Amino acid sequence: MTTTDIREQLHAQIDNLPADIVEQIADFTLFVMSRRQIAPLYADWRQTEWQTFVLEQFFHDEDDVTYSLADAREIYHP
């Protein structure tokens, strides 16, 4: 199995995991990167980039529930 195959399988598995497990995976990834002194790719994301990322996760295509932007605004209070 090639590295590309492993990455694709891992990505597919992560896409189907609950958010709390994805957060744990992200924390572990940061831990491993820190031990190898690799800077995280999103360390210098601006607030707008984080907001875009969060909205993409909120409106994920495989979600069984339909949300609107108004729903997101109702829940998120900066």
Side-chain angles (χ1 to χ4, degrees), residues 28-41:
F28 178 72
T29 302
L30 287 174
F31 167 75
V32 171
M33 291 174 71
S34 174
R35 289 192 64 181
R36 293 188 173 212
Q37 298 179 346
I38 301 169
L41 301 174

Side-chain angles (χ1 to χ4, degrees), residues 22-72:
V22 173
E23 289 175 23
Q24 290 177 6
I25 292 169
D27 287 344
F28 178 72
T29 302
L30 287 174
F31 167 75
V32 171
M33 291 174 71
S34 174
R35 289 192 64 181
R36 293 188 173 212
Q37 298 179 346
I38 301 169
L41 301 174
Y42 51 85
D44 46 338
W45 277 11
R46 295 172 305 211
Q47 178 149 354
T48 54
E49 292 168 313
W50 279 111
Q51 287 175 342
T52 301
F53 172 74
V54 169
L55 283 174
E56 286 172 355
Q57 297 302 310
F58 188 75
F59 293 109
H60 194 267
D61 290 339
E62 296 177 12
D63 201 347
D64 293 335
V65 180
T66 303
Y67 298 99
S68 69
L69 190 54
D71 295 329

